[in-house]
Amino acid sequence: MIDTTLLSLFIPTFFLVSITPGMCMTLAMTLGMSVGIRKTLWMMYGELLGVAIVAIAAVIGVSAIMLKYPQLFNVLKFIGAGYLLYIGVSMWQSKGKLALSSAAEKTSNIAAKQLFTQGFITAIANPKGWAFMISLLPPFINTQLSLAPQLSILITVILVSEFSCMMIYATGGKTIAKLLTQADNVKLLNKISGVLMMLVALWLALS
């Protein structure tokens, strides 16, 4: 059904990508503090729908290529490893700034529909999200096994990881904000995540 070795590596890899401070996580945190967890859930639902669409669309395109040109799998694997290495180096070199959204800080009276739309657009319009899905999902697919079950499980892992991390940020609120607004703490988190990303990239390239 799915390669458990690849799955055991994919889960922590994507969790690291999700938990690192970025637009979606910061948005969840600032909304959690300003409008409360319940209303923030609407933004999360929109973001998850957007992420699911991006993942499915990216995977369908990649799957079509893999089925038609199976020899390109190794090329995609190296592209994925290269992109993961790029993410790792970028994290390591990060200046440690928390990308707070000024728009998110002014949402005390925002409607659920607007929150949902905000989360959805944030996910759909994020070019890094598209690049990540297109380049990184293929290396975690075992071509010897059925494709559909593997993709279903990987996308489920992505959604669970995204939701869990957004909840951590939203419920952590002021405590996480206080910790992350200290540049040294963000730098440390990024450096740890960056090193782990680079190690995974090396593993993918050599596997």
Side-chain angles (χ1 to χ4, degrees):
M1 188 176 183
I2 190 168
D3 190 320
T4 54
T5 301
L6 291 176
L7 181 61
S8 64
L9 189 62
F10 181 77
I11 292 173
T13 298
F14 197 85
F15 182 80
L16 280 173
V17 172
S18 295
I19 199 67
T20 302
M23 185 58 210
C24 288
M25 296 305 131
T26 307
L27 186 60
M29 182 181 67
T30 52
L31 286 174
M33 289 189 290
S34 60
V35 302
I37 305 300
R38 275 191 182 179
K39 291 191 74 173
T40 302
L41 285 171
W42 286 104
M43 183 282 293
M44 295 182 193
Y45 298 151
E47 197 268 350
L48 291 176
L49 177 60
V51 167
I53 291 174
V54 170
I56 292 169
V59 162
I60 288 175
V62 170
S63 299
I65 294 173
M66 287 175 64
L67 290 172
K68 195 171 183 180
Y69 306 103
Q71 65 272 23
L72 288 179
F73 178 78
N74 284 332
V75 175
L76 290 171
K77 183 181 76 170
F78 284 114
I79 290 174
Y83 186 67
L84 199 57
L85 179 63
Y86 167 76
I87 293 175
V89 172
S90 297
M91 286 181 175
W92 177 267
Q93 295 177 337
S94 172
K95 300 299 182 183
K97 293 181 180 179
L98 187 61
L100 288 169
S101 170
S102 58
E105 295 172 349
K106 302 176 182 178
T107 54
S108 57
N109 296 316
I110 195 168
K113 183 178 179 180
Q114 289 175 284
L115 288 169
F116 182 89
T117 303
Q118 187 177 19
F120 180 77
I121 292 176
T122 299
I124 290 290
N126 184 0
K128 289 184 179 179
W130 284 94
F132 183 84
M133 297 298 180
I134 291 172
S135 62
L136 195 56
L137 278 176
F140 289 95
I141 295 172
N142 188 331
T143 54
Q144 305 301 314
L145 301 174
S146 179
L147 192 59
Q150 293 185 80
L151 296 180
S152 298
I153 292 173
L154 291 179
I155 290 173
T156 298
V157 168
I158 289 170
L159 296 181
V160 170
S161 180
E162 280 285 291
F163 181 74
S164 299
C165 291
M166 283 192 290
M167 282 298 294
I168 290 171
Y169 273 80
T171 55
K174 294 179 180 179
T175 302
I176 292 178
K178 185 177 180 179
L179 288 172
L180 293 182
T181 47
Q182 298 176 27
D184 288 343
N185 289 337
V186 180
K187 284 181 181 178
L188 179 60
L189 176 60
N190 283 335
K191 287 186 183 297
I192 293 172
S193 299
V195 169
L196 293 174
M197 288 289 180
M198 287 185 270
L199 289 174
V200 173
L202 182 62
W203 182 87
L204 285 176
L206 296 177
S207 64

